[in-house]
Amino acid sequence: MTKEEVAGMIDHTILAPNIKTAQVEKLCKEADENHFASVCVNPSFVKISAELLKKSSVKVCTVIGFPLGAVTTEDKASETTVAVANGADEVDMVIEISKALEGNFSYIEKDIEGVVKAASEAGTKVSKKITVKVILETCYLDNETIRQCCIAAKNAGADFVKTSTGFGTPKAADGTSLPNGATAEHIRLMRETVGPDMGVKASGGVRTAEQAKAMIEAGANRIGTSSGIKIMETW
């Protein structure tokens, strides 16, 4: 796989709560220079990102119900509508993790449907197709729950399933912190479940070219990372 092909899979990401405008401006400049797929920013930075990238092929991605997913479907739909009006091309929504852990996959599907519908309606108003990615937060889920959530996302009409927010805090029974990002095992499971035509995004902890390559080989066709420049320099 060429360097250019890999660049076209990267969502150049900056989602920390203490980000300043100058950092978003730098992110957009880097994404444009490297021909990344998108920049992924918090909703408050969508408008400025869209303005900075209006002459670029780089998309503007934002997050919905982030990072917990624990808001109503109506809230997520409203966030989506505003984000698209402000210039977002892609939205990465977080499922309600508690419902997944309870096995309430019908709720998960309807929640995703609400965002897909809002994205479609908002996109129609600005004459563009809005990509919807569904963040499962896989660090909290067992393999069967991941599989069922993928099925729900596919049934709901989402474009991608995505591993992680990068903000999960899973712990073992003894309180020891556990990994919270993407794994090749989960990517393979997600790809096997959704098939070849739906997107799979690896996000969380992908910081090196070797890690990115492992995710792509496992089935990812989008990489969410704050280390896109480093990955490009060492690919």
Side-chain angles (χ1 to χ4, degrees), residues 1-182:
M1 181 168 286
T2 67
K3 196 171 192 175
E4 291 74 21
E5 288 171 330
V6 175
M9 294 182 178
I10 289 178
D11 287 350
H12 199 32
T13 303
I14 189 166
L15 293 170
N18 59 337
I19 296 306
K20 297 178 182 177
T21 302
Q23 291 170 275
V24 174
E25 292 171 344
K26 181 174 182 285
L27 185 88
C28 291
K29 184 174 185 291
E30 290 172 343
D32 187 37
E33 290 173 347
N34 287 275
H35 305 290
F36 289 147
S38 82
V39 294
C40 189
V41 296
N42 282 312
S44 61
F45 288 115
V46 165
K47 191 172 285 189
I48 187 173
S49 298
E51 178 63 24
L52 289 167
L53 293 168
K54 64 183 178 181
K55 295 181 180 179
S56 173
S57 62
V58 177
K59 303 295 185 183
V60 176
C61 174
T62 194
V63 287
I64 303 297
F66 193 86
L68 303 178
V71 297
T72 68
T73 301
E74 290 78 12
D75 290 329
K76 292 175 185 176
S78 177
E79 280 190 72
T80 300
T81 300
V82 172
V84 174
N86 283 340
D89 304 291
E90 304 187 347
V91 295
D92 289 16
M93 66 161 288
V94 187
I95 65 166
E96 181 141 358
I97 299 157
S98 63
K99 295 293 192 292
L101 293 171
E102 292 168 355
N104 191 348
F105 301 112
S106 62
Y107 181 96
I108 298 295
E109 185 171 330
K110 289 177 183 176
D111 193 43
I112 299 167
E113 281 178 351
V115 172
V116 169
K117 182 174 183 289
S120 177
E121 291 175 351
T124 297
K125 291 179 181 178
V126 294
S127 302
K128 62 184 178 183
K129 165 71 170 68
I130 307 301
T131 297
V132 177
K133 308 190 203 89
V134 178
I135 305 173
L136 307 184
E137 202 68 296
T138 49
C139 63
Y140 293 122
L141 311 178
D142 62 27
N143 283 358
E144 180 57 21
T145 304
I146 292 169
R147 193 178 73 82
Q148 291 295 335
C149 287
C150 286
I151 292 169
K154 188 172 185 177
N155 289 343
D159 300 290
F160 278 76
V161 285
K162 172 180 169 181
T163 55
S164 317
T165 64
F167 289 81
T169 55
K171 295 184 184 296
D174 63 0
T176 304
S177 294
L178 297 172
N180 70 346

Side-chain angles (χ1 to χ4, degrees), residues 182-212:
T183 69
E185 176 194 1
H186 287 159
I187 291 296
R188 278 191 291 271
L189 173 62
M190 293 160 74
R191 174 56 69 201
E192 289 168 2
T193 303
V194 302
D197 299 324
M198 190 173 178
V200 176
K201 177 175 173 178
S203 186
V206 184
R207 300 185 180 93
T208 68
E210 291 75 17
Q211 289 171 320

